[in-house]
Amino acid sequence: DPTSSRVLTPVQFKIIERLLPPLVRMRPMNLKFSINEHGTSMNTFYANLKHHMYTLILILDTDGNRFGAFCT
């Protein structure tokens, strides 16, 4: 469930979700990579996302800053 993110609150996630293209919003979102679950390997990151056309990257840094990107 993407609304249970450790990076964004459910309200913040819904705001971001509304900014995504309609085709993306219609598809279910699933967590594909988390440092807590998969470690810090970029090879694992790329392997987990390799077959996905759209990717929403959300990052929370050690200073509490949140940022991200929508990739196609």
Side-chain angles (χ1 to χ4, degrees):
D1 177 18
T3 59
S4 64
S5 167
R6 293 181 183 179
V7 177
L8 299 175
T9 67
V11 171
Q12 290 169 327
F13 183 81
K14 289 294 183 186
I15 291 168
I16 297 290
E17 186 179 44
R18 285 194 303 246
L19 298 171
L20 297 173
L23 180 62
V24 175
R25 289 194 311 257
M26 292 177 1
R27 296 176 179 212
M29 290 190 195
N30 301 311
L31 181 64
K32 298 297 180 189
F33 182 86
S34 166
I35 288 176
N36 295 329
E37 292 179 35
H38 303 101
T40 59
S41 168
M42 287 304 290
N43 288 332
T44 304
F45 175 78
Y46 292 132
N48 288 4
L49 300 174
K50 179 170 38 174
H51 300 292
H52 298 280
M53 186 179 296
Y54 306 108
T55 304
L56 179 62
I57 300 172
L58 301 172
I59 298 170
L60 175 63
D61 71 14
T62 55
D63 292 326
N65 299 302
R66 293 173 175 88
F67 55 98
F70 174 67
C71 306
T72 60

